[in-house]
Amino acid sequence: MSMPPPQQPRSTGVVVGLAALGVFAYVVFNVVVGFIAVSLATPAVLGVAAGFLFLGAIGGGVGLLLVRTPWAKGLGLGLMIGWALVSIVSAGWCTGLNPGLYA
C-alpha cells in the first residue's frame, strides 16, 4: 500500500496580505519619486521618473513573480496592482502616463 503525497499548506492568505502590502508600498514609492520629480519639474525629469515608476512596479513585480514563493508572488502582484490603480485613479497624472504632464 502506498502513502498519498503530503499536502502542501495553503498560502492564499499570505499572497493576499502581501498583495495589499505591495499596493501600499507602491503608493509610498510613487509619492517619494513624485515629490522628487515635481521639485525638479522639467519634462525630461518627469519622463525619467515615469519610466522609473513603471520599471520599478512592473519589472519588479514580474521579477518577484518569477521567484515563485508565496510572499514574492503577493508582493509582486501588489506592486503591479498598485501601479495600475494609481494610474487609473489619477488619470495617469501620478504615474506619468497623462500627456498633459509634458505640455
Side-chain angles (χ1 to χ4, degrees):
M1 204 187 287
S2 67
M3 301 275 300
Q7 295 281 332
Q8 297 241 346
R10 291 187 173 204
S11 59
T12 306
V14 173
V15 173
V16 171
L18 280 167
L21 181 68
V23 170
F24 178 73
Y26 176 77
V27 170
V28 170
F29 179 64
N30 191 18
V31 167
V32 170
V33 171
F35 278 132
I36 293 170
V38 169
S39 68
L40 300 173
T42 63
V45 170
L46 293 175
V48 169
F52 186 68
L53 288 170
F54 178 79
L55 287 177
I58 304 302
V62 169
L64 284 168
L65 283 175
L66 293 175
V67 174
R68 300 186 55 88
T69 60
W71 68 268
K73 185 184 295 185
L75 195 57
L77 284 171
L79 287 173
M80 293 187 289
I81 291 168
W83 182 84
L85 282 176
V86 169
S87 296
I88 291 168
V89 169
S90 71
W93 284 97
C94 293
T95 54
L97 294 177
N98 193 316
L101 253 155
Y102 307 102

